[in-house]
């Protein structure tokens, strides 16, 4: 596996919160669910580019702060009836550390 | 996404020192737009999220707190210059406005809450379209409630007349507590009063001194332990972290074990 980068400790993302990683591929939003899983999405809503990292995390979904698209954290897909997809980034937890894959 | 910060100015009053602080913040963080809000406060528009805790800290160091400019909460108490500076003024509207805004600081509500105090019936503070409008008259104050300048413009309705500043605070506090207890989420006072009827409000706030006192005391109880969330974001690393962007060095990436 290539391109894995250790970005932060799990503790540094609040439960149901998010952090932004500035990368050469644009801002990447890391989301932590209530049950401590972490997902990574391009920080750009498929609707009009809203910052998903500033949305509200509920279950495995984040609601965009601009117009309320619900985006699945696992696949970046907008929940129907909305359409669109935010690019997904692989994230792994290793002990207390959060790793992100940049390919 | 840019953010905005509206420093609280109690009753709309400010000082040269506060203005200097605001100007310094605007320059230091390259705030692109500075304007007056509809509630007569200064809006710093277009602040980067990662600068927010620094802006709050700089303003906090100068003794200024946030204006809750977007909350479902107390927003502003607008005032005219009143008897302090106006030849028509019958009451000290600025002082009254400062007292009301300080009393209600941090109060959450079903929707935003705006007040205004005018020193005489010429009503330069536009109290007729506020959730609570206070108008100074020779013998005291007239209180109006449930005005709205929003989607549906509504003229505030006359509630009652009172004599003293203390009564203005008690009646206003009781009305707002009644609204806090009975209003639905996102229901402005004009819609709330239209739903329950002005007589229902009068029965609790005007005609029943005991009920009024109880309502007022419940409001005071609710407000006593208020913790400023903006100062918490400045002081608590766990909260502050959310505003910081994670920078990575992609070339020297560590290899996952
Ligand atoms: S409302 Fe009356 S007291 Fe206040 S500024 Fe206008 S004229 Fe003067
Ligand atoms: S930009 Fe996200 S819902 Fe419109």
């Amino acid at each position: 596996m290539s391109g894995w980068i250790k970005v932060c400790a799990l503790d540094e993302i609040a439960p149901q919160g998010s952090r932004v990683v500035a990368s050469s591929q644009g801002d990447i939003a890391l989301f932590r669910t209530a049950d401590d899983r972490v997902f990574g999405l391009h920080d750009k809503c498929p609707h009009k580019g809203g910052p998903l990292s500033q949305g509200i995390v509920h279950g495995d979904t984040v609601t965009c702060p601009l117009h309320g698209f619900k985006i699945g954290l696992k696949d970046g897909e907008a929940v129907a009836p909305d359409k669109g997809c935010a690019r997904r980034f692989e994230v792994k937890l290793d002990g207390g550390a959060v790793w992100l894959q940049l390919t | 996404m840019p953010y905005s910060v509206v420093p609280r100015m109690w009753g709309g009053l400010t000082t040269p020192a506060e203005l200097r602080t605001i100007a310094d913040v605007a320059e230091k963080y390259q705030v692109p737009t500075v304007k007056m809000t509809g509630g007569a406060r200064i809006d710093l528009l277009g602040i980067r999220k990662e600068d927010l805790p620094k802006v709050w800290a700089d303003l906090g160091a100068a003794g200024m707190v946030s204006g809750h400019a977007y909350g479902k909460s107390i927003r502003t108490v607008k005032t005219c210059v009143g008897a302090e500076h106006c030849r028509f003024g019958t009451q000290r509207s600025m002082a009254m406005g400062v007292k009301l805004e300080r009393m209600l600081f941090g109060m959450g509500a079903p929707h935003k809450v705006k007040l205004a105090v005018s020193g005489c019936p010429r009503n330069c503070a536009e109290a007729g379209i506020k959730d609570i409008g206070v108008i100074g008259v020779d013998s005291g104050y007239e209180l109006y409630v449930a005005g709205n300048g929003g989607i549906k413009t509504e003229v505030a309705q006359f509630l009652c007349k009172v004599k003293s500043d203390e009564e203005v605070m008690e009646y206003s506090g009781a009305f707002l507590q009644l609204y806090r207890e009975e209003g639905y989420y996102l229901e402005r006072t004009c819609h709330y009063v239209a739903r329950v009827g002005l007589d229902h409000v009068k029965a609790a706030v005007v005609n029943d001194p005991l009920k009024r006192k109880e309502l007022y005391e419940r409001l005071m109880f609710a407000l006593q332990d208020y913790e400023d969330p903006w100062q918490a974001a400045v002081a608590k690393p766990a909260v502050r972290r959310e505003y910081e962007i994670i920078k990575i060095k992609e070339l020297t990436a560590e290899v996952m074990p």
Side-chain angles (χ1 to χ4, degrees):
Chain A
M1 281 196 288
S2 65
W4 284 97
I5 297 177
K6 191 190 210 174
V7 284
C8 65
L10 177 64
D11 283 0
E12 290 170 353
I13 311 173
Q16 291 185 290
S18 74
R19 296 289 302 273
V20 175
V21 179
S23 84
S24 58
Q25 306 183 27
D27 283 353
I28 299 167
L30 297 180
F31 301 93
R32 173 172 170 185
T33 61
D35 56 359
D36 293 340
R37 288 165 302 136
V38 178
F39 298 98
L41 293 178
H42 190 195
D43 193 14
K44 239 178 168 217
C45 177
H47 179 223
K48 290 189 175 175
L52 296 174
S53 60
Q54 293 170 36
I56 292 175
V57 176
H58 45 102
D60 285 357
T61 311
V62 60
T63 296
C64 176
L66 294 199
H67 320 95
F69 266 44
K70 293 189 189 68
I71 309 293
L73 296 177
K74 285 185 187 154
D75 51 11
E77 293 279 354
V79 174
D82 295 324
K83 286 195 176 74
C85 186
R87 184 176 164 198
R88 190 174 61 93
F89 289 84
E90 288 291 339
V91 174
K92 279 207 165 66
L93 287 175
D94 169 45
V98 179
W99 292 75
L100 173 70
Q101 189 177 36
L102 290 173
T103 45
Chain B
M1 189 163 68
Y3 284 76
S4 99
V5 171
V6 182
R8 190 165 285 285
M9 291 175 181
W10 308 99
L13 283 98
T14 184
T15 63
E18 285 187 351
L19 291 173
R20 231 171 253 130
T21 304
I22 291 173
D24 287 347
V25 163
E27 280 184 350
K28 186 167 163 191
Y29 301 100
Q30 295 152 14
V31 176
T33 309
V34 181
K35 85 173 279 288
M36 300 303 296
T37 70
R41 304 294 185 265
I42 292 178
D43 201 346
L44 301 169
L45 288 153
I47 298 177
R48 284 181 293 268
K49 180 170 175 176
E50 57 266 37
D51 285 336
L52 283 174
K54 298 177 219 160
V55 169
W56 296 329
D58 285 9
L59 291 170
M64 302 179 81
V65 293
S66 170
H68 295 77
Y70 301 96
K72 308 288 174 239
S73 61
I74 176 72
R75 296 287 183 84
T76 53
V77 182
K78 197 172 175 182
T79 59
C80 77
V81 293
E84 287 103 321
H85 288 289
C86 175
R87 67 200 163 108
F88 297 118
T90 60
Q91 299 292 342
R92 296 169 56 83
S93 52
M94 288 191 291
M96 185 73 249
V98 171
K99 280 190 207 172
L100 281 171
E101 192 161 336
R102 287 204 178 268
M103 171 178 95
L104 299 173
F105 179 52
M107 181 193 76
H111 208 317
K112 57 184 172 180
V113 172
K114 302 178 178 186
L115 283 74
V117 187
S118 284
C120 83
R122 288 170 189 78
N123 199 0
C124 295
E126 299 165 342
I129 50 163
K130 300 295 178 195
D131 296 285
I132 297 182
V134 182
I135 296 180
V137 289
D138 283 323
S139 54
Y141 296 95
E142 289 175 358
L143 297 184
Y144 294 80
V145 296
N148 190 317
I151 288 179
K152 194 171 180 313
T153 308
E154 285 289 347
V155 175
Q157 306 179 53
F158 177 70
L159 182 72
C160 63
K161 233 170 117 170
V162 297
K163 289 201 175 60
S164 67
D165 288 18
E166 287 64 40
E167 282 176 311
V168 170
M169 293 164 79
E170 185 177 307
Y171 282 67
S172 303
F175 170 68
L176 289 174
Q177 182 62 17
L178 192 69
Y179 165 57
R180 276 156 48 89
E181 292 177 6
E182 299 181 347
Y184 299 144
Y185 181 62
L186 295 184
E187 185 178 46
R188 291 289 303 267
T189 56
C190 71
H191 303 118
Y192 161 69
V193 172
R195 177 168 61 81
V196 300
L198 188 63
D199 286 341
H200 167 80
V201 172
K202 280 188 177 163
V205 176
V206 183
N207 304 334
D208 186 340
L210 186 68
K211 230 179 180 168
R212 176 173 66 242
K213 269 221 149 52
E214 286 172 357
L215 282 164
Y216 175 73
E217 275 160 17
R218 286 206 291 279
L219 178 66
M220 293 303 112
F221 178 75
L223 293 178
Q224 68 185 359
D225 293 322
Y226 176 74
E227 186 199 7
D228 187 347
W230 290 275
Q231 285 313 308
V234 171
K236 294 182 184 161
V239 184
R240 186 169 181 146
R241 212 177 272 136
E242 186 205 319
Y243 298 89
E244 292 160 4
I245 289 178
I246 301 174
K247 304 243 159 61
I248 46 174
K249 292 200 199 80
E250 293 175 39
L251 291 176
T252 59
E254 293 171 59
V255 176
M256 176 121 145

